[in-house]
Amino acid sequence: MVIPIIGLSILLVLTSTSPFSLDSNTGCNSHDWDCSLHLPLWVSETEKAAIEDRLEGWTKDLETSGADIVILASCLKKPLRPLWISQKTVIWINEVPDYDSWDFTPIILVSASSTSGVTQHRTTSEFSWNYIPGAGDDEESWARGLSPNLFWNHAYDLISTGPDVCNQKVADIVEKDRVYRARRGQDAPQITVKPSISERSPCLDPDLSNITISPSDEECGIFWLGSTNLALGSSQIAAERSSNIDCVLNCDQWPISVHHQEAEAYLHLPIVSSKMDRFSLFNNLPSAVNFAKSNLTKGRTLLICCHDGEDISVCVCLAILISLFNDEGSFDDGKSFSETGITKCEMRRRLVYVCKFAIKARPSRGNLKQVFSFLNSEVAEV
């Protein structure tokens, strides 16, 4: 239910923003948009009413989060509305209306849960579902090693293959990418996938003779957070391109070779995922913040890196940003934090700020919880 709530909250914010209420291209007034809550048929009226009661609060949270509503308002021509597709959804392509004729912008939601023919007594709907916990979040359990970048680079190929050979196509793509990275000395673990019962065909070794190298594959980049002197990136990028950066905080499990001669300019904290250790990030954050403080005080630039530059390093950077910077993004040695403390709303707002610059950021909930716990413990000590 998260995406329908987010979509409607966005609409409510946009329709209350008067400068953007009229679309100059279509003449459509956003105040005339359908801003009612659209949920799937299997959601009970009681649950729907409970969601509607909290919408106003969620909308206010969005308004104060720091998200760039102006850019969204300038490109959204129709209201957002979610559509659900399950494993048993039947779609007749020739009966799908032309997109331009729709009076809303669809958000297609694909459910990983399986339908059940038995009606559950706790629902008033004829529909019921066998929910697969975490199926939408834990992509390592179902994505077969396919990362978001790999998917979008090969999206049309994957779709055109059809369901019968889709898994084999994914295996070929993942293996070619693994070999490509291994040949360049990058981290390239072997992906092991447990075959499902429905897979009848034997797994074939992929043809690696025609590996194509795309320049964009090498451009994962270093992302600077405004004028804070903080940057985010992967450990591979840190090892290759940190010569013009004063300090490196490596949060990968493995050490890297950097160009800095001074011991105080490099710190390795082997932090693991919250799924492997629920307190790994929490236990290392004091050292991370102290290292950042000692170097930022001297006006040095700091690159924070982890395996992919998307999760652990983002959470470490968030803790440093909240602990040592004020609301305007200026380094104040922790003065603002010691005076105001931290709330979930404020932490969410700072995370939005980080994500504006680090466009690949995907911090996990488990790591964000550790950051919040660490910040609260710091406030208690002050």
Side-chain angles (χ1 to χ4, degrees):
M1 297 301 101
V2 175
I3 293 180
I5 292 170
I6 294 175
L8 183 53
S9 297
I10 290 174
L11 289 183
L12 294 175
V13 172
L14 293 183
T15 54
S16 65
T17 309
S18 55
F20 306 98
S21 61
L22 186 64
D23 179 10
S24 58
N25 295 327
T26 63
C28 177
N29 194 320
S30 63
H31 290 293
D32 298 330
W33 285 0
D34 177 9
C35 292
S36 57
L37 179 63
H38 293 272
L39 297 174
L41 298 175
W42 55 88
V43 175
S44 67
E45 290 298 321
T46 301
E47 185 175 358
K48 181 179 179 180
I51 293 174
E52 289 175 331
D53 288 342
R54 301 182 63 182
L55 271 173
E56 183 177 354
W58 286 326
T59 303
K60 290 181 179 179
D61 289 342
L62 176 61
E63 287 181 303
T64 58
S65 68
D68 198 340
I69 303 298
V70 175
I71 290 181
L72 181 58
S74 65
C75 64
L76 192 62
K77 307 304 179 185
K78 300 177 182 179
L80 300 171
R81 183 182 299 180
L83 299 177
W84 285 265
I85 296 179
S86 74
Q87 296 178 17
K88 292 190 176 181
T89 299
V90 177
I91 300 177
W92 302 102
I93 302 298
N94 61 335
E95 295 184 4
V96 176
D98 185 72
Y99 168 76
D100 292 333
S101 67
W102 296 4
D103 57 359
F104 59 88
T105 300
I107 304 176
I108 308 299
L109 306 179
V110 181
S111 174
S113 300
S114 59
T115 55
S116 170
V118 180
T119 303
Q120 298 179 3
H121 295 293
R122 64 181 180 85
T123 66
T124 58
S125 170
E126 60 180 309
F127 301 94
S128 66
W129 296 78
N130 292 325
Y131 177 62
I132 304 175
D137 301 328
D138 305 329
E139 66 270 14
E140 65 270 17
S141 66
W142 55 263
R144 297 174 173 266
L146 195 67
S147 66
N149 285 339
L150 277 180
F151 170 78
W152 288 113
N153 288 338
H154 302 276
Y156 291 106
D157 290 339
L158 288 168
I159 293 172
S160 64
T161 58
D164 293 336
V165 293
C166 181
N167 287 343
Q168 181 57 52
K169 184 67 175 178
V170 170
D172 293 349
I173 292 171
V174 170
E175 179 63 10
K176 288 180 180 180
D177 178 71
R178 187 191 70 80
V179 173
Y180 168 80
R181 288 183 286 112
R183 288 177 177 175
R184 284 151 185 79
Q186 301 177 15
D187 182 63
Q190 183 74 44
I191 303 297
T192 303
V193 178
K194 182 179 180 180
S196 61
I197 299 176
S198 61
E199 292 176 352
R200 306 291 185 182
S201 59
C203 182
L204 304 177
D205 292 332
D207 178 15
L208 305 179
S209 59
N210 296 317
I211 297 178
T212 57
I213 300 175
S214 171
S216 60
D217 290 341
E218 299 177 353
E219 298 296 327
C220 61
I222 294 176
F223 303 98
W224 291 95
L225 273 60
S227 58
T228 62
N229 277 350
L230 296 174
L232 285 167
S234 68
S235 52
Q236 182 68 30
I237 288 297
E240 296 174 353
R241 307 181 186 179
S242 62
S243 57
N244 61 340
I245 297 175
D246 299 327
C247 310
V248 173
L249 174 54
N250 177 22
C251 304
D252 199 343
Q253 295 185 52
W254 312 106
I256 59 175
S257 176
V258 294
H259 302 282
H260 306 91
Q261 300 297 325
E262 300 179 23
E264 62 181 14
Y266 174 77
L267 177 63
H268 177 215
L269 298 175
I271 304 174
V272 299
S273 166
S274 60
K275 294 178 181 178
M276 299 177 63
D277 185 345
R278 291 185 299 167
F279 302 101
S280 178
L281 177 61
F282 179 88
N283 292 333
N284 282 283
L285 280 177
S287 298
V289 172
N290 288 335
F291 176 77
K293 181 177 181 179
S294 64
N295 286 286
L296 292 171
T297 302
K298 301 173 183 177
R300 295 174 173 176
T301 55
L302 172 62
L303 171 62
I304 307 165
C305 64
C306 64
H307 165 63
D308 54 12
E310 299 176 359
D311 182 7
I312 294 176
S313 59
V314 172
C315 291
V316 172
C317 182
L318 179 63
I320 292 172
L321 187 69
I322 295 174
S323 300
L324 303 177
F325 290 78
N326 60 23
D327 288 345
E328 289 72 37
S330 300
F331 178 76
D332 68 355
D333 201 17
K335 179 181 178 181
S336 175
F337 175 67
S338 63
E339 294 175 350
T340 60
I342 186 64
T343 63
K344 289 185 178 180
C345 182
E346 174 62 17
M347 180 168 151
R348 189 183 304 117
R349 191 177 68 82
R350 296 291 188 104
L351 179 59
V352 169
Y353 175 82
V354 172
C355 293
K356 284 182 179 180
F357 300 98
I359 57 176
K360 295 186 177 182
R362 294 196 308 157
S364 63
R365 180 180 299 180
N367 285 335
L368 288 174
K369 285 183 177 180
Q370 293 182 68
V371 172
F372 188 70
S373 297
F374 163 74
L375 295 172
N376 274 325
S377 67
E378 292 294 293
V379 172
E381 292 178 3
V382 171

